[in-house]
Amino acid sequence: MILLTGSTGYLGSQIAQELVRRRMPFRALVRDASRLGFQPEEVDCDIVVGDMRDAAALRKAVEGAKCVIHTAALVKMYVRDRRDFWRVNVDGLRNLLQAATEAGVERIVYTSSFIALGPSTDVNAGEGLRNRGPYSNEYEETKAQALAWLRDEGFRRHPVIAMMPGVVYGPGPATEGNLVGGMIDQYLAGKFPGLLGSGEQRWSFSYNTDVVAAHLAALEKGRPGEEYVLGGDNRSLNDFFRVLAAISGVRRSVRHLPFFAGKMVGAVELARAVLFSHRPELTPGVVEIFKHDWVYASAKAARDLGYRVTPLEEGLKKTLEARHA
């Protein structure tokens, strides 16, 4: 039995769909089973209701599980109680690993993030990078601290494998974790506000089907105590929109906004969030993230897990085809 956390999130939902397609029995730890993209009673899926802050639910979820795929995380620009980032992304990870180890789980595949490694201008950069800050926001800080804890202690105590996907894109639900999907939707609707900076900042665009396949391969081939970067096609943001325009046939000019203007807008949005419980469209922390390059290599994942990198042109074509399916 496989335990999957985060099965209603952007990446986790795609892993759940693949487990269903492969007819692999699994258990899903969810807060709201109605958000699953399938009927649990129609497939080989058990449900445990709870979240990463619920220690009792974690213990129940790991009972009888042989493997765990842990994709659940708090991926947001802003939450009113910022301690929730720590409760979910750091404490939740530690509590889950402890419960899983005590229950005799043999292998835990943990979804970390490129952001835990820190900014990189080197397309050959891989495992071992350490993000020491300064951190742009609580999400970056807590993912970096979770990885630091694994390296200092967690890998020795638990049978865990850390996966570091790049900027994941592809078909899937419109969650806050689906940043690229939101950019695509805004561009096609003529509502994209503009790129921060020159647009020459490079991201490692990882197609989600590749990332899903690597997670499942890690259940068999991954080595506990190891990290695997699941990078993608290292391309500039200007390249991304040029490819999107060519494939979609929708050609729109993309404005470029100076970072200081983004910081001002982000500050106003953040103030509205604090005062009026408004969901911010931008924060100063997100502006900081856009200032950097985030590019990496995936040779180790390719060698050990059979990981492949889908070119941006192919991945965007499949993403747009899925919108019309």
Side-chain angles (χ1 to χ4, degrees), residues 225-277:
E226 296 289 342
E227 304 171 21
Y228 294 98
V229 174
L230 308 179
D233 196 349
N234 295 313
R235 304 284 284 272
S236 73
L237 291 168
N238 287 334
D239 281 343
F240 172 83
F241 281 101
R242 280 194 288 266
V243 173
L244 178 59
I247 292 174
S248 67
V250 177
R251 299 187 179 275
R252 305 184 190 279
S253 60
V254 176
R255 292 188 300 167
H256 291 264
L257 308 174
F259 288 118
F260 77 85
K263 280 291 186 73
M264 293 174 60
V265 172
V268 171
E269 286 286 288
L270 191 57
R272 292 178 64 198
V274 173
L275 295 173
F276 306 112
S277 298

Side-chain angles (χ1 to χ4, degrees), residues 38-283:
F38 54 87
Q39 295 299 320
E41 62 272 13
E42 296 178 0
V43 300
D44 200 352
C45 176
D46 295 335
I47 298 296
V48 173
V49 176
D51 67 20
M52 296 306 299
R53 295 167 294 185
D54 184 344
L58 295 180
R59 289 192 294 271
K60 181 178 179 181
V62 297
E63 288 179 4
K66 180 180 180 181
C67 301
V68 173
I69 301 177
H70 175 42
T71 72
L74 185 55
V75 188
K76 291 184 179 293
M77 292 187 192
Y78 166 84
V79 295
R80 184 167 291 277
D81 187 349
R82 298 183 178 185
R83 291 173 296 181
D84 280 344
F85 284 102
W86 290 89
R87 292 170 181 142
V88 174
N89 296 345
V90 180
D91 295 339
L93 170 65
R94 296 173 70 166
N95 291 338
L96 175 64
L97 295 189
Q98 185 63 36
T101 300
E102 291 175 356
V105 169
E106 298 176 5
R107 187 166 297 199
I108 304 157
V109 177
Y110 161 57
T111 308
S112 180
S113 170
F114 70 93
I115 209 164
L117 298 173
S120 166
T121 60
D122 180 4
V123 295
N124 296 311
E127 299 77 12
L129 293 175
R130 185 176 289 268
N131 187 348
R132 294 184 172 88
Y135 304 111
S136 300
N137 57 19
E138 287 82 5
Y139 175 70
E140 180 183 358
E141 181 176 11
T142 52
K143 294 300 278 190
Q145 291 301 320
L147 181 58
W149 171 78
L150 279 178
R151 290 169 169 174
D152 293 342
E153 180 180 347
F155 282 132
R156 294 196 307 271
R157 296 177 54 189
H158 308 290
V160 60
I161 302 160
M163 315 289 275
M164 272 81 71
V167 182
V168 183
Y169 74 103
T175 66
E176 283 199 46
N178 188 358
L179 173 63
V180 176
M183 291 165 55
I184 292 172
D185 290 343
Q186 288 180 322
Y187 175 84
L188 295 180
K191 297 180 179 179
F192 185 66
L195 273 176
L196 292 164
S198 68
E200 289 305 309
Q201 310 96 297
R202 295 170 298 161
W203 288 4
S204 197
F205 290 95
S206 301
Y207 188 57
N208 63 6
T209 298
D210 303 335
V211 176
V212 168
H215 276 69
L216 296 184
L219 291 178
E220 297 181 3
K221 302 176 182 178
R223 292 176 291 170
E226 296 289 342
E227 304 171 21
Y228 294 98
V229 174
L230 308 179
D233 196 349
N234 295 313
R235 304 284 284 272
S236 73
L237 291 168
N238 287 334
D239 281 343
F240 172 83
F241 281 101
R242 280 194 288 266
V243 173
L244 178 59
I247 292 174
S248 67
V250 177
R251 299 187 179 275
R252 305 184 190 279
S253 60
V254 176
R255 292 188 300 167
H256 291 264
L257 308 174
F259 288 118
F260 77 85
K263 280 291 186 73
M264 293 174 60
V265 172
V268 171
E269 286 286 288
L270 191 57
R272 292 178 64 198
V274 173
L275 295 173
F276 306 112
S277 298
H278 162 75
R279 176 180 168 181
E281 297 294 328
L282 187 66
T283 65

Side-chain angles (χ1 to χ4, degrees), residues 293-307:
D293 284 8
W294 306 85
V295 294
Y296 312 90
S298 307
K300 182 177 176 180
R303 181 187 69 236
D304 291 2
L305 307 179
Y307 180 68

